[in-house]
């Protein structure tokens, strides 16, 4: 059996699998979105939405889109064709980031039978590289269903008070982390010479 793991851009043929994974993950929390809402988030930024395949199976996905810091998508609405307006007079990255320098990780889901295999880490690593290449300074998310500890362990910092009570279910918390440059290779060691 082919167990090759591959991250690739989300394609039209993936939507049945994505909708099923999202429903299975979020419906018990009362947070499941309809297909149109999910597709609108991907349409807002198709270059930041990916699936992970394990062999021939779609094992998970990530939907991310440029969003202003301290804001997040409304689960009851689809995304507009145009992202939220950038505040006038604001500065920061403009290439591909909506001008905010923030990439919002809206959903990351791995199929229940394939969890604890590093697939979410694989997706997050791929997304972080994409954010870095786009010039984003931060990645944000709303931790739901008791996942704050998972995200904290991956460098995200809680910013309490951003998400109103009940907006994303009980205990939801807005979190973000900086997009750090990849570690630079260490320069070759210079041999020490004794000087007398």
């Amino acid at each position: 059996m082919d167990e090759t793991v591959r991250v690739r851009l989300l394609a039209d043929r993936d939507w049945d699998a994505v909708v099923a994974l999202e429903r299975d993950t979020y419906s018990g929390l009362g947070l499941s979105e309809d297909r149109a809402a999910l597709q609108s988030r991907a349409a807002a930024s198709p270059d930041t939405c990916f699936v992970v395949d394990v062999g021939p199976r779609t094992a998970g996905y990530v939907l991310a889109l440029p969003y202003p810091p301290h804001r997040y998508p409304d689960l009851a609405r689809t995304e507009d064709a145009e992202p939220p307006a950038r505040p006038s007079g604001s500065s920061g990255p403009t290439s591909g980031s909506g001008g905010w320098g923030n990439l919002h990780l809206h959903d990351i889901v791995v199929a229940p039978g394939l969890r604890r295999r590093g697939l979410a880490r694989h997706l997050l690593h791929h997304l972080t590289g994409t954010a870095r290449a786009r010039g984003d300074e931060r990645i944000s998310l709303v931790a739901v269903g008791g996942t704050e500890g998972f995200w904290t362990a991956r460098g995200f910092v809680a910013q309490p008070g951003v998400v109103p009570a009940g907006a994303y279910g009980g205990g939801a918390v807005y979190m973000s982390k900086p997009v750090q440059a990849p570690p630079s290779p260490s320069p070759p060691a210079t041999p020490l010479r004794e000087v007398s």
Side-chain angles (χ1 to χ4, degrees), residues 102-103 105 127-128 131 138-141 156 175-177 179:
N102 186 66
L103 185 62
L105 191 170
L127 184 66
T128 301
R138 300 194 73 74
I139 297 176
S140 64
L141 58 86
F156 286 83
M175 303 179 80
S176 71
K177 78 172 194 171
V179 175

Side-chain angles (χ1 to χ4, degrees), residues 15-25:
W15 281 108
D16 288 342
V18 167
V19 169
L21 287 165
E22 192 272 353
R23 180 193 61 235
D24 293 347
T25 301

Side-chain angles (χ1 to χ4, degrees), residues 75-163:
L75 296 177
R77 298 179 51 161
T78 59
E79 294 301 315
D80 294 331
E82 291 294 316
R86 180 178 177 194
S88 62
S90 64
S91 61
T94 57
S95 175
S97 65
W100 308 291
N102 186 66
L103 185 62
H104 186 78
L105 191 170
H106 179 67
D107 266 356
I108 188 167
V109 172
V110 173
L114 296 171
R115 292 180 184 158
R116 300 190 139 330
R117 295 185 184 189
L119 297 175
R121 185 190 59 204
H122 213 61
L123 282 166
L124 184 58
H125 178 76
H126 194 85
L127 184 66
T128 301
T130 300
R132 186 179 302 114
R134 288 166 34 89
D136 291 308
E137 297 170 351
R138 300 194 73 74
I139 297 176
S140 64
L141 58 86
V142 176
V144 299
T147 60
E148 183 178 347
F150 173 88
W151 294 111
T152 298
R154 281 141 190 87
F156 286 83
V157 176
Q159 298 175 8
V162 175
V163 180

